[in-house]
Amino acid sequence: MNAITPREAALSVRGLRKAFAGVPVYDGFALDVKRGDILAIFGPNGCGKSTLINMAAGLLPADAGEILYDGRTVDEVRIGYVFQNYREALFPWRRAAENIRYPLRRMGLKRAEIERRLEALVADFRVRFDLNAYPYSLSGGQQQLVSIMRALAVEPEVLFLDEPFSALDYETTLSLRTLLQQVLKARKTTTILVSHDLEESIVLADRILMLTRRPTLVADDIAVELAWPREAATLSAPNFVAIKARCLDVFTRAVAGA
Amino acid sequence: MRGILVPAAGAAGFVALWWLAVLLRLADPVLLPSPLETFNDTAKSFTQGPLLHDLWRTVTRTVLSFLVACGIGVPLGLLLGAKESIYRAVEFVVDFFRSTPASALFPLFLILFGVGEGTKIAVAAFGAALVILFNAAYGVMNARRTRLLAARVMGASPLRVVFDVMLWEAMPQILVGMRSGVSLALVIVVVAEMFIGSTDGLGQRVIVAQSLFESGLMYGVIFVAGALGYLLNLTFLLLEKRFIHWAGK
Ligand SMILES: Nc1ncnc2c1ncn2[C@@H]1O[C@H](COP(=O)(O)OP(=O)(O)OP(=O)(O)O)[C@@H](O)[C@H]1O
Ligand SMILES: [Mg+2]
């Protein structure tokens, strides 16, 4: 495990336990995420990736253990969460811009500050479609981009993304990925990304956590030391290929073979 | 244009059949007046008689009981839907009274509210409120879980989640409830006007026309009541279409 001093950790998980109907998913799980890092979580179906980030985001109670954000509980910090199913996460009765303003209003920010943040996001993501449209009239990629902007608007201490691209086509995924890595790195947002796509995990992450089947443990914890920004050429860099090979090896041994 | 033409042709066919039945003397003319006679009697009652006033009374009673029903049914439905365990507990009672013919409740409401306006409005409101409540509760219970979680993650308090998400998620179903509710309120109001000491209203007018053998007027009032019900239904359909723009998308 990469050594992270407590001060550097944006998120620390200790002794986490969770069982569904008596079947344990987590039985003493620990994790530290360094401030500013993008951590990708990769594991087989049903190993508990969503369960983990839902517990971290305070959407699901843990049976035992602690999840702390620099010493504070989730209720005391601002987090962002992007759901896999953008269609069911956005509010279709509000225009796209109103969706993005919603969490800012909940924070009680002044109107000028809300508009400033909205404009900054529009510039960062180079948004060219009409944010006054209702979500259902936007394309899937545009809707998921609105979800991402909504989650980032609060300037979260940790951003959670649960398979954010799995419902999008390849071309859309590529362009969203590129935008997202630029913005996350520019804003130094600590991010936890759940992905089913190994290549995507490597391209977007500073670190990859490979999980085993239930009860879930860390099969491997791999630092991705590739230069930012990561571009098309990154995919053929020797370092990238080596990391991918190692991940696949771990996956077949610890995950699929178990 | 076609959208109007086809139903218009159907209605014309209906009137033609009616006229044919009159010409063939299929029934006693006292029981089955001609469409023209019906129209003339009705128009006369509108312009010179009490029909306009009756229509107005029935509309006000229906609207009033509908408003009372919304005031009770929507908030209560939201509340019960948000706490599913409570809804499950009262579901049987709601279902039971929803299935009870409202007319069977007249005597009870007469005891509670006396003979007068109050009783008619109360029974109609009671019936409509249950329908609206039931639909609002189901709308909330079927709210997308992801949206509720999204609101929570964004720092919405439980009360805000109710007003910012659950209410909107339930809105299509609430409007369906309102549409059935207003139709039911009209039915109950008309029946109440017939049987609970009334001097006006469409229900009263039908009964009076029948007892005086004014069959032309009687048919006319029935058609007026029908048109009223149809228009109320149509209004809510249009409201749903305009207001719930996101439904099914
Ligand atoms: N509310 C629940 N009730 C019962 N079992 C649950 C519940 N939520 C999750 N589980 C179970 O816990 C395990 C972990 O689920 P989770 O959704 O976290 O997996 P995942 O790693 O995100 O899977 P996927 O890759 O399919 O998204 C699964 O076996 C699932 O069936
Ligand atoms: Mg999942």
Side-chain angles (χ1 to χ4, degrees):
Chain A
M1 173 149 308
N2 309 11
I4 297 172
T5 66
R7 294 231 33 207
E8 282 181 312
L11 172 66
S12 359
V13 177
R14 288 288 174 277
L16 187 69
R17 283 171 201 281
K18 181 74 187 178
F20 287 111
V23 185
V25 180
Y26 290 100
D27 194 4
F29 185 87
L31 172 69
D32 284 291
V33 185
K34 203 170 112 189
R35 196 175 306 286
D37 256 9
I38 301 176
L39 171 76
I41 299 180
F42 191 83
N45 274 113
C47 76
K49 305 178 291 292
S50 301
T51 302
L52 177 64
I53 66 173
N54 286 343
M55 286 191 288
L59 295 176
L60 185 72
D63 293 344
E66 62 176 23
I67 300 174
L68 292 176
Y69 294 79
D70 198 10
R72 292 158 301 164
T73 63
V74 66
D75 300 320
E76 299 167 297
V77 298
R78 287 184 316 276
I79 54 155
Y81 196 119
V82 176
F83 295 86
Q84 172 180 6
N85 191 341
Y86 46 84
R87 250 180 244 293
E88 296 204 341
L90 290 173
F91 300 150
W93 49 84
R94 286 173 185 266
R95 296 172 192 279
E98 278 301 308
N99 267 279
I100 300 169
R101 289 186 190 108
Y102 184 79
L104 302 176
R105 296 239 163 87
R106 296 289 73 75
M107 283 169 70
L109 294 183
K110 291 240 162 57
R111 177 187 289 236
E113 173 62 10
I114 292 176
E115 293 315 303
R116 190 193 65 73
R117 290 195 185 191
L118 181 60
E119 277 157 30
L121 283 165
V122 167
D124 284 357
F125 283 102
R126 285 177 231 126
V127 176
R128 275 183 303 254
F129 57 91
D130 182 13
L131 282 179
N132 276 319
Y134 284 100
Y136 53 78
S137 63
L138 301 174
S139 72
Q142 290 168 339
Q143 288 183 50
Q144 192 58 303
L145 181 55
V146 170
S147 300
I148 292 171
M149 289 165 76
R150 183 173 77 169
L152 278 173
V154 299
E155 295 175 357
E157 299 202 19
V158 177
L159 172 69
F160 297 95
L161 300 146
D162 193 356
E163 300 180 33
F165 307 129
S166 57
L168 302 174
D169 65 39
Y170 191 60
E171 196 186 340
T172 313
T173 300
L174 281 187
S175 70
L176 261 184
R177 237 196 241 173
T178 310
L179 276 171
L180 188 64
Q181 60 154 310
Q182 283 170 3
V183 175
L184 291 181
K185 280 299 149 191
R187 294 180 169 230
K188 300 191 174 62
T189 307
T190 311
T191 303
I192 298 184
L193 165 78
V194 171
S195 173
H196 261 143
D197 183 330
L198 190 52
E199 195 166 274
E200 173 173 296
S201 301
I202 302 171
V203 169
L204 279 177
D206 292 291
R207 182 181 159 204
I208 298 182
L209 206 63
M210 308 276 295
L211 298 182
T212 62
R213 283 190 187 288
R214 297 191 299 172
T216 307
L217 293 169
V218 176
D220 202 356
D221 187 343
I222 305 157
V224 181
E225 275 149 1
L226 296 168
W228 297 92
R230 296 172 183 168
E231 286 149 349
T234 309
L235 298 181
S236 46
N239 222 349
F240 179 92
V241 178
I243 292 169
K244 192 169 172 185
R246 176 173 163 188
C247 289
L248 278 175
D249 184 45
V250 170
F251 190 76
T252 27
R253 270 190 301 115
V255 180
Chain B
M1 204 57 212
R2 268 188 73 93
I4 301 176
L5 235 51
V6 176
F14 172 77
V15 174
L17 272 181
W18 175 7
W19 222 312
L20 192 69
V22 172
L23 290 177
L24 295 177
R25 295 200 159 264
L26 288 183
D28 187 333
V30 179
L31 296 181
L32 189 66
S34 78
L36 187 65
E37 195 187 332
T38 299
F39 179 81
N40 287 338
D41 288 358
T42 311
K44 200 168 132 223
S45 186
F46 256 122
T47 50
Q48 294 159 35
L51 194 48
L52 191 61
H53 174 71
D54 289 324
L55 175 60
W56 172 243
R57 294 294 291 164
T58 300
V59 169
T60 16
R61 283 175 187 136
T62 304
V63 169
L64 206 61
S65 34
F66 170 72
L67 290 179
V68 172
C70 287
I72 296 167
V74 173
L76 217 56
L78 286 178
L79 205 80
L80 291 176
K83 281 262 163 273
E84 194 162 341
S85 51
I86 305 183
Y87 184 78
R88 292 300 165 208
V90 300
E91 183 173 26
F92 172 72
V93 179
V94 171
D95 253 1
F96 184 84
F97 282 105
R98 211 164 55 92
S99 318
T100 307
S103 40
L105 295 168
F106 283 170
L108 172 64
F109 275 79
L110 277 169
I111 298 175
L112 293 176
F113 293 89
V115 187
E117 267 327 270
T119 303
K120 299 187 198 65
I121 309 238
V123 188
F126 179 78
L130 285 176
V131 175
I132 295 171
L133 182 153
F134 170 86
N135 277 283
Y138 263 85
V140 170
M141 283 189 281
N142 291 328
R144 305 286 199 303
R145 232 180 86 75
T146 313
R147 278 193 194 120
L148 301 175
L149 294 179
R152 247 175 69 191
V153 156
M154 291 188 286
S157 64
L159 198 67
R160 282 226 80 105
V161 173
V162 171
F163 284 104
D164 291 350
V165 187
M166 283 184 183
L167 177 63
W168 293 88
E169 282 279 283
M171 198 73 85
Q173 197 64 40
I174 289 176
L175 270 165
V176 169
M178 286 181 171
R179 186 153 51 87
S180 337
V182 84
S183 303
L184 184 61
L186 177 64
V187 170
I188 300 175
V189 163
V190 169
V191 177
E193 286 167 346
M194 290 182 179
F195 302 115
I196 306 185
S198 242
T199 52
D200 52 17
L202 294 178
Q204 181 64 23
R205 200 52 51 212
V206 177
I207 284 279
V208 170
Q210 182 243 17
S211 58
L212 297 180
F213 294 101
E214 295 177 324
S215 52
L217 180 60
M218 186 186 81
Y219 281 94
V221 180
I222 291 173
F223 286 127
V224 170
L228 178 58
Y230 184 82
L231 281 179
L232 284 173
N233 196 52
L234 189 68
T235 309
F236 276 88
L237 275 179
L238 291 178
L239 265 179
E240 280 168 47
K241 241 182 148 164
R242 253 198 81 75
F243 190 58
I244 315 288
H245 55 86
W246 67 89
K249 287 182 185 157

